[in-house]
Amino acid sequence: MRCALSPLSMRVRADQCYQELADTGSNVRMFTVFEGQRFLGLVSERQAVLFPDGLFSDLVDLRSSHPLTEEAPLELAIDLLQGAREDFLPVLDVKGEFLGVVTSASLFAALSKSEHLLSEGCTSLIQLLQAELDNSRIAASVFETTSEGIMVTDAQARIIAVNRAFTATTGYSMEDARGKTPQILGSGHHGPDFYQAMWSALKEGGVWSGEILNRRKNGEVYPEWLHINAIRDGSGKITHYAGVFSDISQHKEVQKRLHDLAYYDPLTELPNRQLFYDRLEQVMAKARVDQSGFTLLLLDLDRFKEINDSLGHSFGDRLLAQAAHRLRGVVRASDTVARWGGDEFAVILQESEEHWRSATMARRIIDVFEPPIRIDGNDTHISAGIGIARFPEDGDSVELLVSNADAAMYRAKEGGRASHSFYTPELNRHLAERVHLENALRIRLREGGLALAWQPQFRLADGELIGVEVLARWRHPTMGDIPPSRFISIAEESGLILELGRWVLDEAARNVATLCGRFKPGSLRVAINVSPLQMRQKDLVEEFVAPLKRHGLTPACVELEFTESALMSKDFSAEAGLQELGKQGFEFAVDDFGTGYSNLAYLKRFAIHRLKIDRAFVQDIAESETDRQIVSAIISMGHSLGLKVIAEGVETEAQRAVLLQLGCDDMQGFLLGRPLSFEEFVKLLPEPGCACLDH
């Protein structure tokens, strides 16, 4: 396996992060992570770029396949790459020491080198046979011991001798072949021109070698690598032809599997990004010659990450495979569909001349995802956001066209689920703004400039203050107030959410520590939103406990809010950490309850304390009987499980009255309290007492 190691990897320490590396080099595709001399695992360049501030030890893919040994055959490496659906596999020596990584490309190179050595071996064997043909004893030994098939003919191409390997490969014995011509092996796959060129080369240069398809005695067609030499006497006259060949069926099969691995996605069997780029370049070149156009669609499945995290990666893989099947079924045979990566797909519409035709196809793709996908007896609903860009008006190069289609796709995603958007020049400004915001957020987290808003929570029955939710706020010096929906999503996608979460908890703890004596013992809890990415941190418990200890607080004053989808993950690695946080004294609330993929088992697994009814069910509760019934069911279920229920987004007395009638415990919303500065919030607090501080 040493011959197949890829040079495109870089060794890094576990405590390093991508951003610390001044220059990783353009060819680095995988980082090998070590803790001292101990190999921890692999991190792809793409993953490192997505989370540039994350430690490599936290980014190691724990689901990666078992390492290969250096003695492992190439076929095993290919099987593991296909089965694991990964691009890289680690290789260890017999002592368990890390040697390097293999990729589909490095395996392909190793196979090519093997075929080259095979060709050289055939040439050497021919030379040996020709030199020793007059020595019958050595010739017979060569004939009977070589694993390559050998056939010798006279000058008229009539077979006079074959060896055992010839018989084993073709099925023809010496008796079957004697006196016949090599045409007995003809497969019918090569025309007269092929054989004419072969014989011309033999007569003029005395040698021919190449790949040929022949047919066994049983009718099976197989590929072989054939090397033929013309043997001449002392006067230069051709007296014999000697052919040495190897059956390369296995090599061809391995080569095909490597090709598929390099150019096709094994999960969906669609072309991958590399092959898609090749086809896009071909279509673009043809369009330039024909002076025509075509359309590029990029689509992203809505909420796939939530489904994948909630129901497991195996479920997500099957969902992607079925989505790909539906997508193939809706486009034409002349169109190209590829898996772009993750939950993204790409489509080339070669015969799309008008914008309205592109929009019609986008609509058809959206509609094909309307019916639920059934997996394991459960119906799952997905939708897609689609970006549309036209050649040549929206981009006259592959890079520009793809970039603009990507910009249009992000605009479609921002417009809501199941929507499509055409590229416009304004989108470049939008993307530039997003990059600016990400960089600015990174600076604000490092140098300060964010603030917390404190939104009070009240008991519905008497309006008494019972808690507060802290919310991150950002006022940009030139762009004004940046909506949380905008910068929180940027933080999630860039990995900055980890740093932002740490700042929110530390800043909230610092402020609460100043409130000793300002509220009744045990009467007030500070609610803090927790991102799914924060929940997967290696030192989850320490991340939440340490800031409180630093400011002299106990976990008893903090309520951590999680979304349903984050808590429902089947392969959720932080379960033990959350249970330990519960033992430390933290209470848990489920945010936006009722909007996810509800599975009530998690309410028991994580000792949930409170359910939070999403504002979508509250806003029309005074007029909508359906919303009233949904809220009533949530309240009844919560109470039957011994949970408190709080409604968010309460803005009118009518909403408050209905919630009170239905038995809801607490409320949060503009009716009684908008988000406030810390100084304004402090004015709401009664005197005195503080059981929250750790004395």
Side-chain angles (χ1 to χ4, degrees), residues 171-221:
Y172 289 101
S173 66
M174 181 63 223
E175 290 72 23
D176 295 328
R178 182 181 288 114
K180 306 285 197 324
T181 70
Q183 281 299 313
I184 62 172
L185 302 175
S187 65
H189 286 265
H190 305 288
D193 292 344
F194 176 85
Y195 292 107
Q196 184 177 351
M198 175 192 291
W199 286 111
S200 295
L202 285 169
K203 290 176 181 178
E204 295 172 8
V207 64
W208 181 91
S209 63
E211 187 178 311
I212 186 171
L213 290 174
N214 275 338
R215 189 182 300 274
R216 308 186 205 274
K217 186 177 181 180
N218 63 8
E220 178 187 352
V221 175

Side-chain angles (χ1 to χ4, degrees), residues 559-628:
E559 179 181 78
L560 302 178
E561 291 190 5
F562 308 97
T563 61
E564 283 184 280
S565 58
L567 290 172
M568 286 174 56
S569 176
K570 288 184 177 179
D571 57 349
F572 183 48
S573 59
E575 181 171 342
L578 281 185
Q579 291 175 346
E580 178 60 30
L581 286 176
K583 293 177 182 177
Q584 293 279 340
F586 289 95
E587 289 194 348
F588 303 145
V590 181
D591 198 9
D592 302 335
F593 186 80
T595 61
Y597 301 86
S598 298
N599 180 336
L600 302 184
Y602 72 84
L603 297 177
K604 180 179 179 181
R605 284 167 58 200
F606 300 113
I608 301 300
H609 167 73
R610 189 157 65 161
L611 303 181
K612 198 168 189 179
I613 302 173
D614 186 69
R615 67 180 65 249
F617 301 126
V618 174
Q619 61 184 6
D620 296 324
I621 194 171
E623 298 82 22
S624 170
E625 179 62 26
T626 300
D627 285 346
R628 196 154 45 243

Side-chain angles (χ1 to χ4, degrees), residues 115-395:
E115 289 189 350
H116 178 69
L117 293 175
L118 175 64
S119 174
E120 290 182 342
C122 289
T123 302
S124 299
L125 191 56
I126 282 286
Q127 293 170 347
L128 177 63
L129 179 62
Q130 185 171 352
E132 303 293 347
L133 193 59
D134 290 336
N135 187 324
S136 59
R137 182 180 61 81
I138 296 178
S141 175
V142 171
F143 241 60
E144 296 306 318
T145 59
T146 182
S147 60
E148 282 78 18
I150 300 177
M151 174 176 62
V152 181
T153 74
D154 60 19
Q156 286 71 46
R158 290 186 295 265
I159 298 172
I160 61 174
V162 298
N163 69 346
R164 284 184 296 191
F166 174 95
T167 300
T169 301
T170 68
Y172 289 101
S173 66
M174 181 63 223
E175 290 72 23
D176 295 328
R178 182 181 288 114
K180 306 285 197 324
T181 70
Q183 281 299 313
I184 62 172
L185 302 175
S187 65
H189 286 265
H190 305 288
D193 292 344
F194 176 85
Y195 292 107
Q196 184 177 351
M198 175 192 291
W199 286 111
S200 295
L202 285 169
K203 290 176 181 178
E204 295 172 8
V207 64
W208 181 91
S209 63
E211 187 178 311
I212 186 171
L213 290 174
N214 275 338
R215 189 182 300 274
R216 308 186 205 274
K217 186 177 181 180
N218 63 8
E220 178 187 352
V221 175
Y222 69 97
E224 68 176 44
W225 183 264
L226 174 62
H227 189 103
I228 308 174
N229 269 45
I231 301 175
R232 303 176 187 270
D233 60 15
S235 65
K237 180 182 177 181
I238 295 177
T239 60
H240 300 84
Y241 293 101
V244 178
F245 66 89
S246 292
D247 183 347
I248 58 173
S249 299
Q250 187 175 10
H251 274 292
K252 282 295 178 183
E253 176 61 27
V254 171
Q255 199 171 49
K256 179 182 181 301
R257 292 171 65 189
L258 279 172
H259 177 274
D260 290 346
L261 194 62
Y263 293 106
Y264 287 87
D265 172 51
L267 175 63
T268 62
E269 299 181 353
L270 293 175
N272 62 13
R273 183 181 295 212
Q274 182 173 347
L275 181 56
F276 184 80
Y277 267 121
D278 292 343
R279 293 187 180 178
L280 185 57
E281 288 176 347
Q282 294 171 14
V283 172
M284 190 171 287
K286 183 177 184 299
R288 287 195 181 100
V289 172
D290 297 342
Q291 294 186 337
S292 61
F294 64 90
T295 300
L296 173 63
L297 307 182
L298 291 184
L299 62 141
D300 179 273
L301 299 182
D302 298 322
R303 295 188 70 185
F304 174 78
K305 186 177 184 302
E306 293 183 25
I307 298 173
N308 202 43
D309 290 344
S310 302
L311 303 177
H313 294 285
S314 175
F315 187 95
D317 285 349
R318 285 181 288 168
L319 185 65
L320 283 174
Q322 291 202 34
H325 178 73
R326 290 192 181 185
L327 189 55
R328 278 197 303 263
V330 75
V331 301
R332 298 161 298 191
S334 60
D335 301 327
T336 296
V337 182
R339 186 179 180 194
W340 191 247
D343 59 348
E344 296 180 359
F345 297 87
V347 181
I348 301 174
L349 304 178
Q350 296 192 49
E351 300 174 5
S352 177
E353 299 295 335
E354 304 291 343
H355 275 69
W356 68 267
R357 294 185 186 276
S358 304
T360 299
M361 178 55 73
R363 193 68 250 172
R364 288 178 60 191
I365 292 173
I366 290 172
D367 290 344
V368 81
F369 291 123
E370 182 68 24
I373 293 178
R374 178 166 284 267
I375 299 176
D376 293 339
N378 297 314
D379 288 341
T380 302
H381 293 269
I382 60 171
S383 56
I386 302 176
I388 307 171
R390 288 272 306 160
F391 175 86
E393 52 264 42
D394 295 334

Side-chain angles (χ1 to χ4, degrees), residues 618-649:
V618 174
Q619 61 184 6
D620 296 324
I621 194 171
E623 298 82 22
S624 170
E625 179 62 26
T626 300
D627 285 346
R628 196 154 45 243
Q629 292 295 334
I630 292 173
V631 171
S632 177
I634 293 174
I635 294 171
S636 297
M637 184 199 67
H639 288 171
S640 67
L641 295 173
L643 309 179
K644 293 285 188 178
V645 181
I646 181 173
E648 64 176 343

